[in-house]
Amino acid sequence: MAGVSNISSKLPKHKTSIFSVMSKMAFEHDAVNLSQGYPNFETDRQLKELVYNAMLDGYNQYAPLAGITPLREQIADKIESLHGKKYDKNTEITVTDGATQALFLAITAFVNPGDEVIVLKPAYDSYEPAIKLNGGIPVLVQLEGKGYKLNVDEIKQKITPKTRMLIINTPHNPSGNVFSKEEMQQLEALLEGTDIIILSDEVYEHIIFDEAKHYSASAFPNLSKRAIVCASFGKTFHNTGWKMGYCVAPEELMAEIWKVMEVNVFCVHHPTQRAFAEYLKTPQHYLGLRDFYQEKRDKFLHLIKDTAFKAVPSKGTYFQLLDYSEITNEPDVDFSRRLIKEFGVASIPVSVFNKGKEDHRQLRFCFAKTDDTLVKAAEILKKVK
């Protein structure tokens, strides 16, 4: 039987993600995998038991579209405590199938064909395909230099009557930067008087270091009125495979997101929602992440201090950029592949996230790993000259 012969791809230039490519190579070469961003240690046993108990207690059917009320209450309380913004649990919070779905829902709800969406590069690789799938036009603004500094003036120059949305990410993947209060205020002033929506990816909100502070878009009144803030339980609680996240937004924005949610997955895993609703009652479960991950970051930096790689300590996320420009002039994609094949350690080349594949000779390493894994990786990196 003949198949479909005339297929018109909506993403004709889309390729397999760099994460899949590098993880596949790491598996094939039995390399230490510090490429893909997930922990290789277990989530809290208490949290797993809460999910199991919720199943035993019969919470195995559909949850409400926006998520169960006890979980939305805990999310609202957490945000109010940390950022001083009170979201209405009934109309302004939605529990999603991971933060990536929250981002996709927001883009789908508001981006129409021909709309422009400003994306700050380097950027997580789901943003641009989601924009294109909805007929939007990504407008790329490269963060400046090896330190990836925000240039609000350049963003201002990219704003046109067609600009529908600005996507930001803080703490920032892959650079590890955290936007300052002053930078968030500059964005707030820039967007005042416009109809531009800000989509704020804050999945690493609790993973920040060296007394830095995470400034959420929800903390600034003139940003929060136009902001959709997306977060991740998977990143926060070491269980990325559970695919649990949420988004918050003003009621008039959330009403449009619900329309897309209803015809997408409708709702997400009920027993896990019950578990998080209970687990969030102890704030230390997420407030303790700063010390937990700073210890891992510091350990990784100490272990590699005698290598030929150079590092500026990450301010947030569980990623560390390493500069290899004193080792070789190879493009970062080529060098990252060689590290796997010849040395046995996997990373992510940063150029794939940059505008025009701009290459600063940097690789991204994930330090959300056991100490044994970090030690093994560092011993390999010491051999790279």
Side-chain angles (χ1 to χ4, degrees):
M1 181 183 295
V4 178
S5 59
N6 185 20
I7 298 174
S8 178
S9 174
K10 286 189 172 184
L11 295 171
K13 296 181 181 180
H14 189 70
K15 299 178 180 179
T16 303
S17 79
I18 190 66
F19 307 109
S20 297
V21 170
M22 302 310 283
S23 286
K24 181 174 182 290
M25 286 187 64
F27 177 77
E28 291 172 347
H29 294 273
D30 194 26
V32 178
N33 191 354
L34 302 191
S35 61
Q36 202 159 4
Y38 60 83
N40 70 340
F41 44 80
E42 281 297 321
T43 194
D44 187 353
R45 182 181 179 87
Q46 177 190 352
L47 183 55
K48 291 188 284 187
E49 289 176 348
L50 286 170
V51 177
Y52 177 61
N53 289 335
M55 292 178 180
L56 293 181
D57 290 340
Y59 294 110
N60 299 304
Q61 308 306 324
Y62 294 126
L65 181 151
I68 63 170
T69 299
L71 179 53
R72 285 181 280 133
E73 287 176 342
Q74 288 299 318
I75 293 169
D77 289 347
K78 178 171 82 79
I79 295 173
E80 183 178 24
S81 173
L82 294 175
H83 306 301
K85 168 68 176 177
K86 181 67 172 179
Y87 286 94
D88 188 311
K89 68 178 185 296
N90 295 314
T91 60
E92 298 184 321
I93 299 173
T94 301
V95 183
T96 60
D97 189 11
T100 300
Q101 192 216 12
L103 293 162
F104 190 85
L105 291 173
I107 293 168
T108 302
F110 295 104
V111 175
N112 295 301
D115 284 347
E116 296 178 351
V117 180
I118 297 174
V119 179
L120 306 183
K121 302 284 281 184
Y124 180 54
D125 64 353
S126 81
Y127 302 161
E128 291 167 62
I131 295 165
K132 293 174 182 177
L133 281 170
N134 287 284
I137 302 167
V139 176
L140 309 181
V141 175
Q142 179 69 29
L143 297 173
E144 293 185 339
K146 287 190 174 186
Y148 302 99
K149 300 298 182 183
L150 181 67
N151 185 331
V152 176
D153 289 337
E154 187 173 355
I155 297 173
K156 182 177 181 179
Q157 293 172 12
K158 297 293 186 180
I159 292 176
T160 75
K162 294 182 178 181
T163 303
R164 183 59 167 154
M165 181 179 284
L166 165 65
I167 303 178
I168 67 171
N169 172 211
T170 181
H172 183 258
N173 171 24
S175 74
N177 273 348
V178 177
F179 286 1
S180 68
K181 181 178 181 180
E182 291 71 26
E183 288 171 325
M184 296 297 287
Q185 288 172 330
Q186 288 172 1
L187 291 173
E188 184 177 39
L190 175 66
L191 299 180
E192 186 62 18
T194 75
D195 290 325
I196 297 171
I197 295 167
I198 189 162
L199 180 55
S200 188
D201 179 350
E202 302 182 16
V203 301
Y204 300 100
E205 59 181 327
H206 300 298
I207 307 176
I208 46 179
F209 313 124
D210 302 325
E211 306 308 317
K213 178 176 172 58
H214 167 58
Y215 290 98
S216 171
S218 63
F220 300 85
N222 289 325
L223 272 185
S224 65
K225 70 183 183 182
R226 67 178 71 252
I228 303 165
V229 178
C230 302
S232 169
F233 289 128
K235 293 289 194 298
T236 299
F237 297 122
H238 324 315
N239 41 44
T240 58
W242 292 11
K243 295 299 296 179
M244 292 289 290
Y246 62 89
C247 61
V248 297
E251 180 177 354
E252 62 272 19
L253 298 182
M254 191 58 75
E256 297 302 312
I257 290 173
W258 283 356
K259 293 176 184 178
V260 181
M261 179 76 167
E262 186 170 30
V263 296
N264 185 235
V265 299
F266 179 74
C267 67
V268 302
H269 196 248
H270 193 166
T272 305
Q273 291 191 57
R274 294 285 165 182
F276 281 127
E278 184 65 29
Y279 199 68
L280 287 174
K281 291 179 180 178
T282 305
Q284 189 58 28
H285 285 150
Y286 50 87
L287 296 180
L289 285 180
R290 174 192 288 267
D291 291 340
F292 175 80
Y293 274 116
Q294 176 147 353
E295 183 177 343
K296 288 198 171 293
R297 184 207 66 174
D298 291 349
K299 184 178 186 67
F300 183 59
L301 290 174
H302 175 74
L303 288 168
I304 64 163
K305 65 181 178 62
D306 295 326
T307 72
F309 294 87
K310 303 301 178 186
V312 175
S314 172
K315 296 178 182 178
T317 76
Y318 46 53
F319 302 115
Q320 176 63 54
L321 295 189
L322 297 186
D323 184 317
Y324 67 86
S325 57
E326 295 185 8
I327 300 173
T328 177
N329 287 323
E330 290 172 84
D332 62 359
V333 172
D334 294 344
F335 184 55
S336 64
R337 289 174 176 270
R338 187 160 71 86
L339 278 183
I340 294 175
K341 294 178 180 179
E342 296 184 14
F343 294 92
V345 64
S347 60
I348 295 290
V350 177
S351 70
V352 300
F353 305 117
N354 285 334
K355 181 180 178 181
K357 301 293 190 289
E358 186 174 311
D359 190 346
H360 293 300
R361 306 296 190 262
Q362 294 171 313
L363 303 178
R364 191 199 76 174
F365 291 82
C366 176
F367 55 80
K369 307 297 178 182
T370 62
D371 287 354
D372 287 348
T373 300
L374 295 178
V375 169
K376 187 175 180 180
E379 290 301 314
I380 294 171
L381 293 175
K382 289 176 182 177
K383 300 174 184 177
V384 181
K385 304 295 184 183

